[in-house]
Amino acid sequence: MSSESTEAGTPARWRRLFVLLPLLVFLGLAGLFLSQLLSGRDVSEVPSALIGLPAPQTNLPPLEGSSLPGLDSKAFAGKVTLVNVFASWCAPCRDEHPVLLALSKDKRFVLAALNYKDEPANARRFLGEVGNPYQAIGVDEAGRAAIDWGVYGVPETFVVGKDGKIAYKHVGPITAESAETLLLPQIEKALAAH
């Protein structure tokens, strides 16, 4: 009699386990996500292994049909440079463009661009529509230079110090608020460094 009740109880236990298992997995994941939300850490911040290291050796050709030079990391020496990664097909790039135009008025640093996986005609049309804040534009058709820079997606912006080292990386579109609270303090810090 006890062997019959044990055999009959085994499938019932497995059924209960299969019913409870998804609930337990859900509760575990919900707890993990809740702890991340309550941690106070900025989840939009993506760390960069390149901070404090020399900017990757980059020598990209200029945007076809533009009078601007390409992107050459040798040109970073002795000046603070913002390297903005953009593409004409990138909607957030269009959103951040007014902020870049405002930043380009500050002549204490160079605003350069890495045009990521874009058609030259589309990039020229984009800049013709929204304005060109850049002093140099390097074309990265295959996306290889972006890999060297550790780009996750567009747009991203790097602050390169006078020493040629990456001082800061901003992931995502620059807003007026993030320019004021995050980017400009990093630029000022890089400008003050010897």
Side-chain angles (χ1 to χ4, degrees):
M1 180 164 145
S2 67
S3 66
E4 285 178 12
S5 64
T6 304
E7 287 174 14
T10 302
R13 278 192 207 139
W14 281 109
R15 267 184 265 146
R16 268 185 267 151
L17 181 62
F18 282 131
V19 168
L20 289 177
L21 188 60
L23 178 62
L24 293 173
V25 170
F26 171 77
L27 289 174
L29 287 173
L32 177 67
F33 293 140
L34 183 62
S35 69
Q36 287 295 316
L37 285 172
L38 298 177
S39 71
R41 192 175 72 82
D42 183 2
V43 294
S44 66
E45 188 175 309
V46 179
S48 174
L50 298 178
I51 302 296
L53 297 177
Q57 291 299 310
T58 307
N59 190 3
L60 293 173
L63 178 62
E64 189 180 291
S66 167
S67 60
L68 297 174
L71 184 64
D72 187 350
S73 57
K74 291 179 183 138
F76 300 160
K79 49 189 133 174
V80 173
T81 306
L82 261 64
V83 177
N84 176 253
V85 183
F86 86 99
S88 64
W89 46 263
C90 162
C93 295
R94 187 173 291 271
D95 294 340
E96 81 172 352
H97 218 74
V99 179
L100 292 174
L101 288 167
L103 287 170
S104 72
K105 293 177 182 162
D106 190 334
K107 299 304 177 196
R108 298 176 300 155
F109 57 86
V110 174
L111 181 52
L114 187 152
N115 183 229
Y116 179 73
K117 292 187 176 182
D118 209 350
E119 293 292 325
N122 293 342
R124 282 193 310 275
R125 190 176 315 108
F126 173 81
L127 294 172
E129 289 173 12
V130 296
N132 184 1
Y134 306 115
Q135 294 166 304
I137 303 172
V139 176
D140 186 18
E141 285 187 67
R144 294 191 196 291
I147 291 170
D148 294 341
W149 281 81
V151 171
Y152 293 97
V154 289
E156 289 188 12
T157 304
F158 297 85
V159 176
V160 180
K162 296 177 205 171
D163 58 1
K165 293 181 180 177
I166 295 176
Y168 176 73
K169 175 181 180 179
H170 183 85
V171 177
I174 301 167
T175 62
E177 181 184 344
S178 65
E180 188 68 33
T181 61
L182 300 172
L183 192 59
L184 286 171
Q186 292 295 330
I187 292 169
E188 292 296 338
K189 194 170 153 185
L191 287 166
H194 296 290

